[in-house]
Amino acid sequence: MSNARKKVPVATILDANDKELMAIRKIEPDGNMLVIRGKIFGAMPMVAKLTPAEARAALKLLDLRTVLFLLTFLFRKN
């Protein structure tokens, strides 16, 4: 067996020009918050925290069409 490191999964958020805006390396709970760790623009480390109130506010931005899209989102091809 080799001592190769496991590849860490990364979720990438792209900008309007399909350039990497943010690479998310870890999402974890911290008390009542959700902590998102990653890098912005491939270089700057970032830690973002989402509170329950902000998550509820984000859900209010969704309309019925977007909710229906999200229900099928993970099953779509790239």
Side-chain angles (χ1 to χ4, degrees), residues 7-46:
K7 186 173 181 180
V8 177
V10 175
T12 304
I13 297 176
L14 306 175
D15 66 10
N17 297 317
D18 291 334
K19 302 288 183 191
E20 184 180 300
L21 181 65
M22 181 175 165
I24 300 170
R25 301 216 182 270
K26 191 169 189 180
I27 300 174
E28 61 189 349
D30 182 13
N32 283 336
M33 289 191 233
L34 188 63
V35 177
I36 304 163
R37 298 178 189 277
K39 288 187 177 184
I40 298 176
F41 304 118
M44 297 177 2
M46 180 221 47

Side-chain angles (χ1 to χ4, degrees), residues 2-8:
S2 72
N3 290 332
R5 297 177 90 185
K6 280 187 180 179
K7 186 173 181 180
V8 177

